[in-house]
Amino acid sequence: MSFDAWLADFRQEAAERGISDATLDAALTGIKPVERVVALDRGQPEFLQTFTVYLSRRVTAERVGQGRALLQEHAALLDEVERQHGVPKSVLVAFWGLETHYGKVMGNLNIPVSLATLAYDGRRSKFFRSQLLDALRIIDAGHVSAAGMTGSWAGAMGHMQFMPSTFRAHAVDGDGDGRIDLWQSLPDAMHS
């Protein structure tokens, strides 16, 4: 089946599941599969490097120092998150550092396009099709625009690299502005 035929079938399913035409148009009109996304899926460093090499490239003295500074800089927020959710602030900041280098590397690929590429590719199509539906639901809810939903090749997004299903299950409005923004709002990201 061609990508265009697959996309038409998917779009019909998404509409039947309640995704608005406006969201479908914004996220899916004119998209094509991205070969780089498939290549990255086949060459994940987590699986090509030993754990020691992988960890040594990500846990550096510089990154640990940045984490310590950010623990102090965001102490009030991190203390609140620890009190409310029981996640130790040091663990939260460590994940933040590993996942996105404290928000410096959140990915710049369009999430709907990446997920459509992987859902069409076939290796884990059921999983990525489900993630794509969840991404469209997030857009439909008004948390982010289709163009603004960026992240990793696999669909992970924001400061903590949530997959769309994780966003829908756990993301919260930590800053009280009425929407969940895991990209620009540190309170939303940390409370989530």
Side-chain angles (χ1 to χ4, degrees):
M1 172 185 300
S2 73
F3 181 76
D4 289 339
W6 178 89
L7 189 60
D9 177 64
F10 173 82
R11 190 179 167 118
Q12 181 178 349
E13 176 188 347
E16 289 169 1
R17 291 177 180 245
I19 306 297
S20 72
D21 287 339
T23 292
L24 293 170
D25 288 344
L28 303 177
T29 298
I31 69 170
K32 297 291 178 204
V34 179
E35 289 305 316
R36 180 173 172 249
V37 168
V38 174
L40 287 167
D41 182 47
R42 303 288 194 274
Q44 297 176 52
E46 294 91 339
F47 302 122
L48 298 177
Q49 300 170 349
T50 66
F51 178 72
T52 304
V53 169
Y54 178 80
L55 196 60
S56 70
R57 291 183 179 171
R58 284 154 186 83
V59 181
T60 63
E62 175 191 1
R63 199 171 293 193
V64 170
Q66 288 173 329
R68 286 184 177 135
L70 289 167
L71 276 167
Q72 291 181 358
E73 181 181 338
H74 299 290
L77 171 62
L78 295 168
D79 286 343
E80 178 185 332
V81 170
E82 188 170 339
R83 264 192 315 279
Q84 267 190 309
H85 305 288
V87 178
K89 59 188 169 189
S90 59
V91 171
L92 190 59
V93 170
F95 276 114
W96 185 25
L98 281 173
E99 287 296 334
T100 63
H101 200 157
Y102 310 110
K104 292 178 187 153
V105 184
M106 291 193 276
N108 59 4
L109 295 171
N110 181 271
I111 297 296
V113 174
S114 292
L115 292 172
T117 297
L118 293 167
Y120 173 71
D121 177 57
R123 190 167 82 84
R124 294 182 286 166
S125 60
K126 184 177 179 183
F127 172 75
F128 286 114
R129 187 179 189 105
S130 172
Q131 294 301 313
L132 179 55
L133 285 166
D134 281 338
L136 295 173
R137 289 178 181 115
I138 293 164
I139 295 166
D140 227 20
H143 296 296
V144 64
S145 68
M149 184 181 264
T150 58
S152 80
W153 60 267
M157 53 195 171
H159 280 271
M160 301 305 245
Q161 294 293 279
F162 276 29
M163 291 300 289
S165 59
T166 305
F167 182 112
R168 292 196 66 234
H170 301 289
V172 297
D173 177 12
D175 61 16
D177 70 353
R179 57 187 279 269
I180 302 168
D181 183 352
L182 300 185
W183 298 265
Q184 302 298 318
S185 171
L186 204 51
D188 289 4
M190 293 300 146
H191 278 279
S192 295

